[in-house]
Amino acid sequence: MSETTRALTDAQRRAVHELMRVSPVADELGRRFAAAGHELHLVGGSVRDALLGRLGDDLDFTTDARPEQTLRIIDGWAEAVWTTGQEFGTIGLARRGLRIEVTTFRADAYDRVSRNPIVQYGDSLVDDLRRRDFAVNAMAVSVPGHEFTDPYGGLTDLAERVLRTPGAPEDSFADDPLRMLRAARFAAQLRFSVAPEVRAAMVAMAGDLSRITAERIRDEFVKLMCGADPITGLRLLVDTGLAETFLPELTGLKLEIDEHAQHKDVYEHTLIVVRNAMGHETDGPDFTLRMAALMHDVGKPATKAVGPDGGVSFHHHEVVGARLTKQRMKALKFPKDVISDVSELVMLHLRFYGYGRGEWTDSAVRRYVTDAGPLLPRLHSLTRSDVTTRNRRKAAQLAADYDALEARIARIAAEEDLARVRPDLDGNAIMELLGVPPGPVVGRAWRHLKELRLERGPLDRDEAEAELLRWAAAEGLTKP
């Protein structure tokens, strides 16, 4: 038995197991469509995932019934119905814990200027499958008959773990350039390779991705980054030129290594840091951490300098990198809180270096914790992930230094409740002691006391009041 044949047999065995789990609902729905004179097929990603043994509770079906006919067929059977996709031929419903979408056969045409299709209903399952992105997503299983339809060799591609398009890739990508990014996403999620002709079309047509909205690119990119193997997806983005369209900072990390001014290959180092960061995740993929790992050194190309001795430096690359990260993520329409968290991690990722030289006071540790705030666990992970040196002694020393810092943070936190560092006097106490109303003076006094708190640790009430009065006198403020 060949490896491909064995893989096909295993895939079919997994599919039977997965389909048995959903068959009671799927077959019941199929019988309702058949009674009304219509076909119903499990399709696309649902069939692919069943063959991979990872079918979830979201099922996709296709049918020759029009949306209004689908609504009549499921009336009284579905436990919930939603029609937000009706204009595109999709009706959603829920039944026994399954979320189901039923879409009318499509025969869309594309204007090839935007990516928006002119929605046209079709009458053929095979034609519907042909308009799908990849052959592994162009398979169907009829219900309740369980007849398998695979006109474009998706099952073989699945066994060989390769992505091909049902038709010519140039035609597929011209219709919808987002499919090129989706190829990289599936490579990351499913650990599939990309067929040579598909890769060649991606290289030739990478610029067409500019036709796609930032929001749709962002959504595909997030899925890629949260995949099981984002490194493969990222390499594909760079190698095909797709990254240049929406994330040129990643391509820019491929710095030329000077003959005499040697430094790490920043691009390769970055990919290692992303992989290292994944090893620190404890509750599934953490996009914020992975994105910070990807962007942490994007400020290096702009800050690279060669000294008189031939040494290379990247002074303040964390500051430049945080700014570039913020700009790029804003252009991709990420939510403000995600942009803030990722750019802050980029800004802080170098703060730890120097701790091992014994230069940090307890005040510096307090500031480290306070500046990181709720990002501290991710900052720990990012900083540790950034150690990619092949020098084992140096790597062990950095790890020991960070172990010591975390232990010191834990000690000070236990003593001072670092998670809630606040001035030793609140706003009401400041107003009462200084005899001032709410306003800018109270804010300035509050910030001064917080600085003291970070610098010296907790003060008792008398010390805090004395320090506030000294500050007020220096500021020319007197209690009336």
Side-chain angles (χ1 to χ4, degrees):
M1 183 182 295
S2 69
E3 288 189 17
T4 298
T5 302
R6 185 181 297 108
L8 288 172
T9 303
D10 290 343
Q12 291 164 332
R13 187 181 302 114
R14 288 192 296 267
V16 169
H17 179 270
E18 293 290 285
L19 292 173
M20 286 292 290
R21 180 175 65 82
V22 302
S23 274
V25 173
D27 288 350
E28 191 176 327
L29 182 60
R31 284 191 289 270
R32 293 181 72 90
F33 273 81
H38 294 290
E39 304 174 35
L40 187 68
H41 306 266
L42 189 69
V43 73
S46 293
V47 176
R48 179 201 70 217
D49 288 345
L51 289 162
L52 290 172
R54 44 177 278 176
L55 182 63
D57 295 329
D58 293 337
L59 305 181
D60 293 325
F61 291 88
T62 189
T63 180
D64 60 336
R66 299 300 190 253
E68 60 276 9
Q69 295 171 316
T70 295
L71 284 171
R72 288 196 293 270
I73 291 169
I74 65 174
D75 183 40
W77 182 81
E79 295 166 357
V81 175
W82 52 95
T83 59
T84 51
Q86 184 169 352
E87 65 177 308
F88 300 106
T90 299
I91 300 297
L93 62 123
R95 175 80 175 183
R96 297 182 197 167
L98 297 176
R99 289 174 55 89
I100 295 168
E101 286 192 346
V102 180
T103 302
T104 302
F105 291 161
R106 297 272 287 272
D108 297 341
Y110 291 81
D111 60 18
R112 297 193 174 184
V113 176
S114 70
R115 66 141 323 264
N116 299 319
I118 301 169
V119 177
Q120 295 179 355
Y121 296 138
D123 299 306
S124 163
L125 172 63
V126 172
D127 288 346
D128 177 89
L129 295 177
R130 182 178 178 82
R131 56 168 288 277
R132 294 175 183 267
D133 52 7
F134 300 104
V136 294
N137 295 329
M139 298 178 283
V141 176
S142 67
V143 287
H146 296 183
E147 294 180 6
F148 183 61
T149 301
D150 179 23
Y152 304 108
L155 186 57
T156 299
D157 286 355
L158 195 78
E160 296 177 351
R161 306 186 74 81
V162 65
L163 293 172
R164 304 179 195 275
T165 51
E170 294 81 4
D171 291 338
S172 180
F173 297 157
D175 282 346
D176 185 358
L178 189 68
R179 290 171 176 171
M180 294 185 285
L181 184 53
R182 201 172 291 144
R185 188 249 290 186
F186 283 132
Q189 285 184 327
L190 304 176
R191 301 179 188 272
F192 279 24
S193 63
V194 176
E197 69 275 12
V198 173
R199 178 186 287 263
M202 291 168 69
V203 172
M205 303 176 68
D208 287 6
L209 193 62
S210 60
R211 289 163 40 196
I212 306 300
T213 63
E215 292 86 350
R216 300 206 65 211
I217 290 175
R218 174 202 64 207
D219 291 346
E220 286 294 331
F221 179 66
V222 169
K223 292 174 184 176
L224 183 158
M225 286 296 294
C226 292
D229 184 16
I231 308 306
T232 293
L234 291 168
R235 287 191 186 281
L236 191 57
L237 291 180
V238 171
D239 294 345
T240 58
L242 287 169
E244 195 64 37
T245 302
F246 73 96
L247 192 63
E249 293 82 4
L250 180 57
T251 305
L253 292 176
K254 286 195 166 187
L255 294 176
E256 180 181 351
I257 300 179
D258 304 280
E259 181 181 356
H260 302 292
Q262 295 185 356
H263 56 82
K264 288 180 182 177
D265 182 325
V266 183
Y267 172 69
E268 293 297 333
H269 162 76
T270 295
L271 297 183
I272 294 172
V273 175
V274 173
R275 190 173 298 285
N276 288 348
M278 293 168 61
H280 289 276
E281 294 169 340
T282 57
D283 191 24
D286 182 344
F287 173 77
T288 297
L289 175 61
R290 294 186 185 191
M291 188 64 177
L294 184 68
M295 303 297 283
H296 80 285
D297 274 349
V298 295
K300 280 190 170 180
T303 58
K304 179 183 174 184
V306 181
D309 61 351
V312 177
S313 64
F314 304 96
H315 293 308
H316 305 301
H317 76 267
E318 75 281 11
V319 178
V320 174
R323 175 172 53 80
L324 293 174
T325 297
K326 191 174 296 185
Q327 291 173 348
R328 179 55 51 198
M329 294 186 71
K330 184 177 180 181
L332 288 171
K333 305 297 179 65
F334 277 94
K336 289 182 179 179
D337 59 332
V338 178
I339 296 173
S340 176
D341 286 351
V342 174
S343 57
E344 189 66 16
L345 285 168
V346 173
M347 174 70 81
L348 294 173
H349 83 276
L350 281 185
R351 182 78 68 86
F352 159 73
Y353 293 94
Y355 177 78
R357 296 195 296 266
E359 299 171 353
W360 282 33
T361 61
D362 281 358
S363 171
V365 175
R366 292 187 197 99
R367 290 179 188 279
Y368 187 75
V369 174
T370 303
D371 289 349
L375 294 172
L376 184 63
R378 285 183 172 124
L379 182 57
H380 288 333
S381 298
L382 178 60
T383 303
R384 289 184 181 276
S385 299
D386 195 23
V387 178
T388 62
T389 177
R390 295 179 182 177
N391 184 322
R392 293 184 180 181
R393 190 166 74 80
K394 183 178 179 181
Q397 185 59 58
L398 287 169
D401 288 345
Y402 209 87
D403 288 343
L405 174 58
E406 288 202 55
R408 193 170 172 188
I409 289 172
R411 174 182 62 78
I412 298 175
E415 295 171 355
E416 304 178 14
D417 193 11
L418 283 182
R420 291 189 296 273
V421 171
R422 295 290 186 273
D424 297 284
L425 300 176
D426 62 17
N428 290 327
I430 291 170
M431 288 187 288
E432 180 181 351
L433 192 61
L434 297 184
V436 297
V441 170
V442 179
R444 286 162 49 204
W446 191 92
R447 288 189 291 274
H448 172 71
L449 290 174
K450 182 176 180 180
E451 285 297 312
L452 283 177
R453 174 74 166 76
L454 289 170
E455 187 67 33
R456 291 163 48 182
L459 306 177
D460 62 32
R461 179 78 182 200
D462 289 342
E463 286 180 303
E465 289 183 355
E467 290 292 349
L468 177 61
L469 291 174
R470 274 195 288 273
W471 173 84
E475 293 286 313
L477 303 171
T478 56
K479 180 177 179 180

